[in-house]
Amino acid sequence: QAKARGRGRFEFFDVEMRMRMQRRLRMEQDLREAVHSGQLWAAYQPVVDLRTGEMVAVEALLRWTHPKHGAISPAEFIPLAEESELINILGKFILQDTARELAAQRTEHGLGLSLKVNLSVRQLDDPHLIPAVRDVLSTTGLPPEALTLEVTESALMRDASAAAEVLTALRSLGVLLAIDDFGTGYSSLAQLRRLTLDTLKIDRSFITGIADSRDAAAIVASIIAMAHAVGLTVVAEGVETADELELLRELGCDQAQGYHLGRPVSAREMFG
Ligand code: C2E
Ligand code: MG
Ligand code: MG
Ligand code: MG
């Protein structure tokens, strides 16, 4: 009886797995089409300077509006794209699109806004990455120092030595580099120093609740101190309350981002 039950369960698992695989295949095909049919677009979220309270940058976040399924989260489709060269196509699209938008906003409205774009660690393996970034800067006229490329800590640490070379090449173009979701990987100070970064973004999971917990606040304070000690600008992500914002200001955090300051919105909503 136990054997029969086990067998039944196994078949059920098999069916479920096959369905999941089919869904992924379909989604990958849909994503390939999405690139060419205007279903992908960039949302912009404000990044605020904590000393002046001014918006100094925007982070570009990729959005996919599927014709049948509606909004699909990047947490779902980015990992899928990362399994193939699709990520390079998406990465190039969002960089080109948002650099053009920011360059236009800077010249037309005299805005000194900077742009932050996420880079998948897989894109660091793409031999076309460096020329593509150089090309985007020269065709859009966006100053390199107005562009920060963000790579997540966990992805970076998986292949730190290989990444270091590409990051150095990117930096020699004059763009800035950020380590994203800091605290979720396991990087050492030595590794961080070797990577010649400009900005450290503290992961949202460390920010949530800092206003109610001395220990949580102490951890964030020590991350800020450590980052400042090696010359990094610190950004807090996921700021959802006025109390969190005030505390981060007191702790000397440089910049903040989060729903309390502004949600990611379309270019039209952000720039009018
Ligand atoms: P991320 O780069 O760490 O971006 C921050 C994420 O947190 C965004 O989710 C943003 O909408 C969300 N967020 C911002 N403020 C708050 C807040 O106060 N509370 C909460 N709960 N969430 C907040 P999103 O847009 O769903 O993106 C998720 C992740 O997908 C990004 O994390 C990034 O790793 C990746 N991603 C998004 N766009 C791109 C892209 O163009 N290229 C690559 N390679 N990855 C991307
Ligand atoms: Mg990011
Ligand atoms: Mg992040
Ligand atoms: Mg994050």
Side-chain angles (χ1 to χ4, degrees):
Q1 242 234 289
K3 198 176 165 190
R5 225 182 13 237
R7 204 178 125 86
R9 215 180 290 147
F10 177 74
E11 280 165 3
F12 176 67
F13 179 64
D14 202 37
V15 168
E16 204 180 66
M17 221 165 74
R18 181 142 22 119
M19 277 173 55
R20 215 181 303 151
M21 258 170 65
Q22 277 168 353
R23 182 180 143 79
R24 286 166 61 90
L25 271 176
R26 238 190 339 265
M27 213 161 89
E28 196 194 322
Q29 271 160 13
D30 288 357
L31 191 51
R32 281 179 196 281
E33 278 175 35
V35 186
H36 305 288
S37 53
Q39 296 165 29
L40 295 176
W41 53 282
Y44 295 88
Q45 186 178 34
V47 180
V48 170
D49 183 304
L50 286 180
R51 257 166 309 230
T52 64
E54 273 174 53
M55 174 166 87
V56 288
V58 287
E59 178 173 6
L61 294 159
L62 194 55
R63 295 291 178 259
W64 179 14
T65 311
H66 191 285
K68 234 172 42 209
H69 308 300
I72 299 179
S73 165
E76 194 172 351
F77 70 81
I78 294 283
L80 186 71
E82 283 175 333
E83 285 173 20
S84 68
E85 83 298 340
L86 245 182
I87 189 62
N88 297 328
I89 298 169
L90 298 191
K92 201 169 168 189
F93 164 77
I94 187 143
L95 181 63
Q96 229 154 21
D97 189 55
T98 60
R100 196 188 301 121
E101 182 70 49
L102 256 284
Q105 293 305 325
R106 287 170 63 95
T107 53
E108 282 166 34
H109 306 292
L111 292 176
L113 277 186
S114 296
L115 174 65
K116 314 219 185 195
V117 177
N118 294 288
L119 206 61
S120 163
V121 77
R122 285 250 1 220
Q123 288 177 265
L124 299 178
D125 297 331
D126 178 9
H128 302 298
L129 177 69
I130 307 291
V133 173
R134 191 190 294 126
D135 188 58
V136 163
L137 293 172
S138 71
T139 56
T140 62
L142 185 73
E145 67 275 14
L147 175 64
T148 301
L149 299 172
E150 303 187 350
V151 187
T152 63
E153 185 197 23
S154 51
L156 259 184
M157 290 313 140
R158 238 173 280 144
D159 202 0
S161 55
E165 220 172 291
V166 185
L167 294 180
T168 304
L170 280 172
R171 213 153 173 272
S172 68
L173 296 178
V175 304
L176 305 178
L177 300 173
I179 188 161
D180 204 348
D181 298 349
F182 182 81
T184 58
Y186 298 94
S187 42
S188 66
L189 264 181
Q191 282 173 309
L192 276 185
R193 273 192 47 182
R194 199 155 48 93
L195 286 174
T196 61
L197 304 158
D198 304 278
T199 302
L200 180 151
K201 292 185 86 166
I202 306 175
D203 191 63
R204 170 160 57 90
S205 58
F206 289 89
I207 305 303
T208 306
I210 48 166
D212 310 311
S213 157
R214 269 171 180 272
D215 288 352
I219 289 169
V220 169
S222 69
I223 295 175
I224 293 171
M226 178 207 74
H228 281 168
V230 294
L232 299 175
T233 298
V234 185
V235 185
E237 63 177 25
V239 177
E240 294 186 348
T241 71
D243 288 346
E244 286 167 1
L245 188 67
E246 190 43 45
L247 183 57
L248 286 163
R249 205 194 314 267
E250 284 166 18
L251 293 178
C253 186
D254 303 294
Q255 301 176 350
Q257 205 178 333
Y259 292 168
H260 177 68
L261 296 160
R263 285 179 182 259
V265 293
S266 69
R268 180 193 284 268
E269 283 176 275
M270 176 59 76
F271 305 114

